[in-house]
Amino acid sequence: MSLPHAILTALLEKPSSGLELTRRFDKSIGYFWSATHQQIYRELGKLEREGAIRALPRQGATRGQKKEYEVLPAGRAELARWTAASQDPKPMRDTLLLRLRAAAVVGTDGIQADLHRHLDLHRRQLAEYEEIERRDFPPGKDAVEDRLRHVVLRAGIDLETFWTRWLTRTIEELEAP
Amino acid sequence: MSLPHAILTALLEKPSSGLELTRRFDKSIGYFWSATHQQIYRELGKLEREGAIRALPRQGATRGQKKEYEVLPAGRAELARWTAASQDPKPMRDTLLLRLRAAAVVGTDGIQADLHRHLDLHRRQLAEYEEIERRDFPPGKDAVEDRLRHVVLRAGIDLETFWTRWLTRTIEELEAP
DNA sequence: AAGTGTTGTGCAACTAGTTGCATAAAGCGT
DNA sequence: ACGCTTTATGCAACTAGTTGCACAACACTT
């Protein structure tokens, strides 16, 4: 239920074509709501049929031709409604935690390597977020929209920090006597 | 791809019927891999057909009659294989973060109340985890399986701690000038 | 002009999870 | 014996996300 709203947000930040959206979903928005280009094109079609967005008029917009979309008032209204509406947090689903729990009954053989790999991945992600913070949120930049985007990025940084710490401790715990 | 493995883990910890599993998924395992009873029954049927588990022989096991399952060697082997296999962490998907990002373009009207509600929910969950930690992991209990289950619980505690802190700061940030 | 790579759009089939409802047995009060 | 609630199992339809592949236009090379 959130992909259309992620797309509306992205399009409000800047009108784009499907491929541009795809690229932006690979960073930025995609950091907390990932989507493939197939999903995006499918959803763009649906949003257009519903009158939430429209393709910017351009002559021969056929297959293989870039098609830019912008948000219509109806789309903006729907996004505002959705943003304000109360939603329950959905229960977490984490494979790695499940695997550790399974390892308690079938043994820890082979899982260590993957813990190290995950630690490495989370460290990289953390470094990437911190780089973005340095670049996009220098001290002083504190208009309301900036502050909002900054707390979102902060969540990413803090989460990756949590994972790196937790993985480090877990690895120690497994390698201890 | 993980529900069957969650079920195998639960059944190895203790052979159970569908309803018992459902209850256990409402706490414990379900804290990091939730599932409804419909999913569970469907998956139990599939696992049985595949020869990973079997129903404990019991006379007239028809509809409305309790049916207990236990894991067969093939099931345990599959779980061990899955646990040891390398898997990529899957990108996070968080609606609340997405909504904040959307709020940066359509305004923060109405989202505050929900932030407070989430903060409350996360605080409760944190308290619940801490209660479990006190009850199930008193100092000294440190067999390998205990230590594993404990680090998993620790992840839950640390995550909820992160959310409560982040939500507190975010609420302050939104209410500031 | 023909082949190759890149950019851009999209469909179809599949997998996993959710929602809504149906059914059966057993216990319990009246 | 009758309904009422609880325990227990399960199907069917739907929604969301993933995977695999195809096709069109254009730019660049030879």
Side-chain angles (χ1 to χ4, degrees):
Chain A
M1 272 302 296
S2 304
L3 179 57
H5 302 100
I7 292 179
L8 287 172
T9 305
L11 286 182
L12 277 170
E13 286 173 0
K14 180 178 181 316
S16 311
S17 68
L19 191 63
E20 276 167 346
L21 276 179
T22 303
R23 291 206 221 285
R24 289 169 59 200
F25 267 78
D26 285 341
K27 35 190 180 69
S28 185
I29 301 232
Y31 287 142
F32 46 89
W33 203 273
S34 64
T36 61
H37 78 271
Q38 291 90 336
Q39 270 179 286
I40 290 170
Y41 283 116
R42 189 203 293 163
E43 205 61 44
L44 282 172
K46 209 171 150 210
L47 285 168
E48 191 179 21
R49 281 194 302 280
E50 292 167 359
I53 62 174
R54 64 162 188 170
L56 290 183
R58 179 153 310 205
Q59 53 288 16
T62 134
R63 203 191 182 98
Q65 289 286 103
K66 189 154 85 171
K67 202 159 52 165
E68 288 227 314
Y69 292 93
E70 69 174 1
V71 178
L72 295 173
R76 174 181 275 268
E78 164 55 23
L79 183 60
R81 188 205 58 74
W82 177 82
T83 303
S86 160
Q87 272 182 257
D88 283 333
K90 56 176 50 179
M92 114 168 107
R93 284 234 169 100
D94 190 281
T95 316
L96 194 58
L97 294 177
L98 187 55
R99 282 166 69 198
L100 276 173
R101 176 93 176 219
V105 279
V106 298
T108 57
D109 283 3
I111 204 174
Q112 274 106 335
D114 215 31
L115 290 172
H116 278 105
R117 202 172 59 88
H118 279 233
L119 176 54
D120 189 53
L121 290 170
H122 285 294
R123 278 192 181 137
R124 281 169 206 275
Q125 190 65 62
L126 177 55
E128 197 173 326
Y129 286 161
E130 282 173 338
E131 172 59 28
I132 293 173
E133 187 178 39
R134 259 190 304 277
R135 197 185 59 217
D136 294 354
F137 302 98
K141 239 206 162 191
D142 55 356
V144 196
E145 322 86 70
D146 291 323
R147 289 212 314 237
L148 277 172
R149 280 191 267 263
H150 196 177
V151 294
V152 172
L153 179 60
R154 245 3 272 186
I157 292 176
D158 293 352
L159 269 171
E160 294 302 334
T161 303
F162 150 73
W163 281 114
T164 54
R165 281 200 197 136
W166 179 81
L167 279 164
T168 305
R169 270 192 242 136
T170 298
I171 288 167
E172 280 170 15
E173 193 73 37
L174 282 204
E175 281 166 2
Chain B
M1 274 298 299
S2 305
L3 179 58
H5 303 101
I7 291 178
L8 287 172
T9 305
L11 286 181
L12 278 171
E13 287 173 358
K14 181 178 182 313
S16 312
S17 66
L19 193 62
E20 276 166 347
L21 276 179
T22 303
R23 292 206 220 285
R24 289 169 60 200
F25 268 77
D26 285 341
K27 36 189 180 67
S28 182
I29 302 230
Y31 287 142
F32 45 88
W33 203 273
S34 63
T36 61
H37 78 271
Q38 290 91 335
Q39 271 179 287
I40 290 169
Y41 283 115
R42 190 204 289 164
E43 205 61 43
L44 282 172
K46 208 171 152 212
L47 286 168
E48 191 179 22
R49 280 194 301 281
E50 291 167 359
I53 62 174
R54 64 161 187 169
L56 289 182
R58 182 155 305 206
Q59 52 288 15
T62 132
R63 202 187 184 101
Q65 289 286 102
K66 189 154 85 171
K67 203 160 48 165
E68 288 226 313
Y69 292 93
E70 68 173 2
V71 179
L72 295 173
R76 174 182 276 267
E78 165 55 23
L79 184 61
R81 188 204 59 73
W82 177 82
T83 305
S86 160
Q87 273 182 255
D88 283 333
K90 57 175 50 179
M92 116 169 105
R93 284 232 169 101
D94 191 281
T95 317
L96 194 58
L97 293 177
L98 187 56
R99 282 167 68 198
L100 276 173
R101 176 92 177 222
V105 277
V106 298
T108 58
D109 283 3
I111 204 174
Q112 275 106 333
D114 216 30
L115 290 173
H116 278 105
R117 201 172 60 87
H118 279 233
L119 176 54
D120 189 53
L121 290 169
H122 284 294
R123 277 191 181 139
R124 280 168 206 277
Q125 189 65 61
L126 177 56
E128 196 173 327
Y129 286 161
E130 282 173 338
E131 172 58 27
I132 293 174
E133 188 179 39
R134 260 190 302 278
R135 198 185 57 218
D136 295 354
F137 301 98
K141 238 204 161 194
D142 57 355
V144 196
E145 321 88 67
D146 292 322
R147 288 210 314 238
L148 278 171
R149 279 189 268 262
H150 196 177
V151 294
V152 172
L153 179 60
R154 250 355 280 185
I157 291 176
D158 293 351
L159 270 171
E160 295 301 335
T161 302
F162 150 73
W163 280 114
T164 54
R165 281 201 197 134
W166 179 81
L167 279 165
T168 305
R169 269 192 243 135
T170 298
I171 289 168
E172 278 168 17
E173 193 72 37
L174 282 205
E175 282 165 2

